[in-house]
Amino acid sequence: MNDEYTPDEAPQDENYAPAPGFSTLSVHAGATPDPTTGARATPIYQTTSFVFEDVDHAASLFDLRAFGNIYTRITNPTTAVLEQRVAALEGGTAALGVASGHAAQMLVMHTLMQPGDEFIASNKLYGGSINQFNHSFKNFGWIVKWADPDNPASFEAAITPKTKAIFMESIANPGGVVCDIEAIAAVAHAHNIPLIVDNTLATPYLVQPFAWGADIVVHSATKFLGGHGNSMGGIIVDGGTFNWMADDRYPMLSKPRPEYNGVVLGETFGNFAFAIACRVLGLRDLGPAISPFNSFMITTGIETLPLRMQRHSDNALAVAQHLWQQPSVSWVSYPGLANDKYNALAQKYCPMGCGGVFTFGLRGGYDAGLNLVKNVKLFSHLANVGDTRSLIIHPASTTHRQLSDEQKITAGAGPDVVRLSVGIEDVQDIIADLDQAMAASV
Ligand SMILES: *Cc1c(COP(=O)(O)O)cnc(C)c1O
């Protein structure tokens, strides 16, 4: 299941070759020509189940004594390529591909939390995650406490003996916020709590959370990893750094599992035990498997990840600088701008660029935002981010329309706010489209 691609294990002798670079890993990690047919692109193993070699092989797979494929809800060879590729790009020990970013978050928490336990989340998060944590997770008895990533001490203040995890985004949705991973990791580790980083908007091309102390990374692969707005997916990456056996706070990992002959996952699977637990407990029992076809689409998308992320970032910076100079624009929130509040953190965590997603404000308020969305032609008006195409949304009239005016402002979705996900088209065409739409709006 996990023949990890681990370039760091290259022998340190005269034959030593340097670890492959990020672009090489983006194209190759986890993939070899198909042993049966020689197919160079990863075949789509569009099957539900896999024939056992014999009865002993079947028994060993069900006992977790051997790695292999049983059923596509739990493992699939097309998905394994996606998993190994993202693990290599993030610098983790293993990964697990699932149906969506939300499924990834659910399985991570299912592995860490017991009913009545608490976790602390950054209050600068994707709106869907705020809902998932506040409402659906509450039904499982997992209690969220909110903290402010601009003030890492607020995480420390929220810790209780029941705190099992800290959750944050690296570059926070709706863009424009770079969070201080190293400072928040220091708080987490001082209290023996694992840090989970949602690296969706940054991707490992821009930010490497494990290098700054994250223990677990999650992605909505629906966004920049897949990158073409065509496939839902999610990924969990195990950093291999956290000691689950230190005490009995993580029983899914540290206690014998009755359904697997009493195996203790944290003992048997060492530094990739977390990924295994998410797979053989959470994915097996809760069931949000990714389709092999979607794994194929997302893996293909990742081959161009470094090219796309650089272009998204360069285009977004140019668009942000242009908007900044427009009289109809009152503010622009993009950390790549030299005078931005988050510019110092951006230089530390994402020196190559700040990604494609950000917000800005229109002096004309609600009506100006609505008119801009009506008048764009190249931009698509929709709720996603991370597509090759440029995307636009006016949160106050769409994603956040149910909130009161005051709640909208707190959530960064005031009446004047417009969110862009800048695509990889020619930047002059992107800018021209915004200019004509703003001119038509007044
Ligand atoms: C979209 C998104 C998610 C949820 O992912 P889905 O694939 O839509 O389930 C989680 N986190 C962030 C930052 C996102 O942008």
Side-chain angles (χ1 to χ4, degrees):
M1 161 162 55
N2 272 303
D3 282 335
E4 257 82 46
Y5 188 93
T6 46
D8 292 349
E9 284 171 14
Q12 304 280 332
D13 60 18
E14 69 274 11
N15 296 321
Y16 175 75
F22 192 91
S23 296
T24 305
L25 292 172
S26 297
V27 175
H28 290 283
T32 50
D34 183 57
T36 315
T37 62
R40 183 60 268 215
T42 299
I44 303 170
Y45 286 92
Q46 189 69 20
T47 182
T48 57
S49 333
F50 300 84
V51 177
F52 304 118
E53 288 161 22
D54 52 41
V55 291
D56 292 337
H57 178 229
S60 68
L61 291 177
F62 279 98
D63 283 353
L64 295 182
R65 280 185 283 116
F67 289 126
N69 299 303
I70 299 175
Y71 193 53
T72 285
R73 194 177 72 240
I74 304 158
T75 63
N76 176 280
T78 310
T79 300
V81 175
L82 171 64
E83 290 163 345
Q84 289 167 33
R85 187 158 305 172
V86 178
L89 293 176
E90 288 284 6
T93 54
L96 176 61
V98 295
S100 67
H102 266 16
Q105 293 171 188
M106 175 179 71
L107 294 192
V108 163
M109 291 305 176
H110 177 258
T111 305
L112 297 177
M113 312 279 291
Q114 303 293 306
D117 282 346
E118 298 170 4
F119 69 103
I120 303 167
S122 158
N123 61 15
K124 297 197 170 63
L125 287 191
Y126 169 65
S129 300
I130 295 176
N131 277 334
Q132 185 190 41
F133 294 176
N134 271 338
H135 304 296
S136 290
F137 280 5
K138 207 163 119 193
N139 275 356
F140 294 127
W142 311 336
I143 311 302
V144 62
K145 298 279 175 71
W146 298 101
D148 179 2
D150 293 346
N151 174 14
S154 66
F155 287 82
E156 183 121 44
I159 291 174
T160 77
K162 289 184 177 169
T163 307
K164 297 293 178 71
I166 292 181
F167 186 100
M168 65 183 292
E169 291 176 4
S170 49
I171 295 179
N173 204 321
V177 179
V178 179
C179 299
D180 195 344
I181 303 173
E182 193 174 32
I184 298 169
V187 171
H189 296 157
H191 296 268
N192 260 322
I193 296 166
L195 176 65
I196 306 155
V197 175
D198 180 341
N199 205 26
T200 298
L201 288 197
T203 83
Y205 176 74
L206 296 177
V207 178
Q208 294 261 308
F210 291 136
W212 301 108
D215 300 290
I216 297 159
V217 165
V218 292
H219 278 276
S220 169
T222 314
K223 316 289 171 56
F224 290 100
L225 286 183
H228 295 71
N230 58 30
S231 303
M232 299 292 299
I235 310 270
I236 299 164
V237 191
D238 187 344
T241 43
F242 198 82
N243 179 10
W244 307 108
M245 303 298 293
D247 49 42
D248 57 6
R249 288 183 311 139
Y250 300 97
M252 298 277 271
L253 288 131
S254 66
K255 292 273 190 299
R257 296 306 310 179
E259 68 270 62
Y260 290 116
N261 271 331
V263 70
V264 175
L265 296 174
E267 232 164 55
T268 305
F269 296 101
N271 71 355
F272 60 104
F274 184 78
I276 293 282
C278 288
R279 186 190 299 281
V280 306
L281 303 176
L283 186 56
R284 186 198 61 168
D285 292 347
L286 301 177
I290 186 170
S291 142
F293 183 77
N294 284 19
S295 295
F296 172 85
M297 294 301 282
I298 294 165
T299 305
T300 303
I302 290 172
E303 291 177 13
T304 56
L305 180 70
L307 300 171
R308 286 186 290 106
M309 289 314 292
Q310 195 60 59
R311 178 67 166 249
H312 280 295
S313 300
D314 294 346
N315 280 358
L317 178 59
V319 172
Q321 283 165 339
H322 178 78
L323 289 172
W324 179 250
Q325 291 157 9
Q326 303 314 304
S328 55
V329 171
S330 46
W331 54 267
V332 179
S333 170
Y334 190 67
L337 295 173
N339 57 355
D340 190 84
K341 179 178 171 191
Y342 294 101
N343 188 255
L345 286 172
Q347 286 181 31
K348 172 173 175 174
Y349 289 103
C350 44
M352 287 183 299
C354 300
V357 181
F358 70 94
T359 54
F360 67 100
L362 287 168
R363 287 196 201 284
Y366 191 92
D367 290 339
L370 221 51
N371 280 327
L372 178 63
V373 168
K374 271 187 207 155
N375 289 318
V376 286
K377 298 191 170 95
L378 182 65
F379 275 81
S380 302
H381 178 209
L382 52 73
N384 196 22
V385 298
D387 196 323
T388 49
R389 289 156 278 254
S390 288
L391 314 175
I392 190 167
I393 198 159
H394 177 235
S397 62
T398 54
T399 51
H400 291 68
R401 66 177 293 122
Q402 263 72 12
L403 303 184
S404 69
D405 282 353
E406 199 187 319
Q407 286 174 320
K408 281 178 187 153
I409 289 163
T410 314
D416 62 328
V417 178
V418 174
R419 185 185 78 188
L420 303 181
S421 176
V422 176
I424 63 171
E425 302 97 335
D426 289 294
V427 69
Q428 65 269 27
D429 294 333
I430 300 171
I431 289 173
D433 191 41
L434 291 170
D435 281 352
Q436 69 77 22
M438 284 192 285
S441 302
V442 283

